[in-house]
């Protein structure tokens, strides 16, 4: 049925945003924990150069998700934004502050102002994925249904907090993997070791949270729990785990190009598994795909517009990502990083 096709498109868009936008959030996470001005100077330099060409582009996927929601599934859109308006508003504020902080901190010449904008960018990179994850977790518990009024319990329960933490950990993992690849491209072996270690640590945190999640969701989100621990949902989760382990091994061998692919595949598989675990519901167990869908004519036009958008926007996005990961968009970054390394060596300070 056409509503099922649109639901699959929505799930694919969510997975794309989780991977593309998640990588940028992860870079902001490591910016937050890079240390003081001297200790964190070199990692932050790499983060700036790695993010600058494409960071705004990744929000295209978020806009795509919102358009499909309010056009294709208006009941879902109304329900989510009525019951979860506060965490979504906080996530939106985080998006604005994050973008402003990243855009304004680099041209600032005064250290105090750079710190203010840098803090806004880094803290927002932590809070925004947490609140988005908390919304997803709240929906999985079944606390939200059409007509539900806004309440803190809908997004501050155990499953919501766990989903928020998993979202943050997943973005940190993606960010560390991609920054390891960028460090290798910029010929900065100290930063390769720096971010590779953080990718491994993020993966360990994800594993711990996943185990905790099995216990929490068994009682708090049983429908989704059963979907993730059996059938195709379990198969996808196992495949995601294999991809994560493969990523760790590839990072050890410094095969960073393949590591990026396996890391993205691992996160995308988890998102798809979560979506399949909810079927036939968009909000377990109160709102099915059929109940949430708009008029069939609207859905047909939505699919047509989506197809045109994929044809027109897809190839430029692929080209942009390939140019960025190939280093064609930041030709001076390597020299800048080497100059920073030389300055630190001349001052007698060991690299971070």
């Amino acid at each position: 049925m056409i509503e099922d096709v649109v639901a699959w498109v929505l799930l694919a868009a969510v997975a794309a945003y989780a991977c593309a936008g998640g990588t940028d959030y992860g870079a902001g996470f490591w910016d937050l924990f890079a240390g003081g001005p001297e200790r964190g100077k070199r990692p932050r330099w790499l983060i700036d150069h790695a993010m600058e060409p494409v960071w705004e582009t990744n929000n295209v996927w978020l806009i795509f998700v919102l358009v499909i929601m309010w056009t294709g599934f208006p009941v879902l859109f109304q329900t989510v934004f009525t019951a979860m308006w506060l965490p979504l508003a906080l996530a939106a504020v985080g998006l604005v502050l994050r973008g402003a902080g990243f855009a304004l901190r680099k041209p600032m010449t005064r250290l105090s102002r750079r710190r203010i904008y840098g803090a806004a960018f880094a803290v927002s990179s932590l809070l925004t994925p947490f609140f988005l994850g908390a919304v997803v977790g709240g929906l999985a518990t079944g606390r939200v249904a059409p007509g539900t009024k806004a309440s803190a319990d809908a997004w501050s329960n155990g499953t919501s907090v766990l989903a928020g933490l998993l979202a943050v950990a997943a973005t940190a993992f993606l960010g560390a993997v991609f920054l390891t690849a960028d460090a290798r491209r910029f010929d900065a072996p100290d930063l390769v070791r720096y971010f590779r270690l953080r990718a491994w640590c993020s993966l360990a945190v994800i594993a711990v949270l996943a185990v905790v999640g099995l216990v929490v969701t068994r009682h708090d989100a049983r429908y989704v729990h059963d979907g993730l621990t059996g059938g195709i949902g379990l198969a996808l989760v196992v495949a995601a785990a294999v991809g994560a382990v493969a990523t760790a091994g590839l990072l050890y061998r410094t095969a960073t190009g393949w590591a990026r692919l396996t890391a993205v595949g691992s996160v995308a598989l988890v998102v798809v598994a979560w979506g399949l675990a909810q079927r036939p519901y968009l909000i377990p167990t109160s709102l099915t795909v059929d109940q949430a869908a708009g008029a069939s004519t609207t859905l047909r036009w939505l699919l047509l517009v989506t197809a045109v958008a994929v044809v027109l926007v897809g190839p430029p996005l692929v080209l942009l990502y390939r140019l960025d990961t190939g280093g064609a968009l930041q030709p001076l970054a390597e020299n800048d990083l080497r100059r920073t390394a030389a300055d630190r060596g001349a001052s007698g300070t060991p690299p971070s």
Side-chain angles (χ1 to χ4, degrees), residues 84 134 137-139 141 143 152-162 220:
M84 302 282 201
L139 294 176
T141 65
R143 288 178 169 84
D153 181 63
W155 58 274
S156 61
N157 53 81
T159 301
S160 292
V161 172
L162 179 69
D220 200 34

Side-chain angles (χ1 to χ4, degrees), residues 213-290:
L214 289 175
V215 178
V216 174
T217 57
R218 180 180 177 85
H219 303 285
D220 200 34
R222 188 56 185 264
Y223 191 89
V224 174
H225 172 89
D226 291 343
L228 290 173
T229 55
I232 189 172
L234 178 60
L236 291 177
V237 170
V238 171
V242 172
V245 173
T247 302
L250 290 168
L251 289 176
Y252 179 76
R253 298 173 61 88
T254 326
T256 53
W258 287 104
R260 286 185 303 209
L261 294 177
T262 54
V264 167
S266 180
V267 173
L269 284 172
V270 171
V271 174
V272 174
W274 191 289
L276 288 177
Q278 296 189 170
R279 60 179 182 170
Y281 297 100
L282 288 175
I283 302 179
T285 53
S286 60
L287 186 65
T288 65
V289 172
D290 294 342

Side-chain angles (χ1 to χ4, degrees), residues 1-9 73 288-291 293-294 296 299-300 303:
M1 299 178 66
I2 190 170
E3 53 263 32
D4 293 323
V5 177
V6 177
W8 276 104
V9 174
F73 302 102
T288 65
V289 172
D290 294 342
Q291 292 170 342
S296 58
L299 294 178
R300 291 191 185 95
L303 282 180

Side-chain angles (χ1 to χ4, degrees), residues 15-36:
Y17 183 63
C19 295
T23 301
D24 279 353
Y25 289 128
F29 178 91
W30 296 120
D31 187 290
L32 179 63
F33 294 101

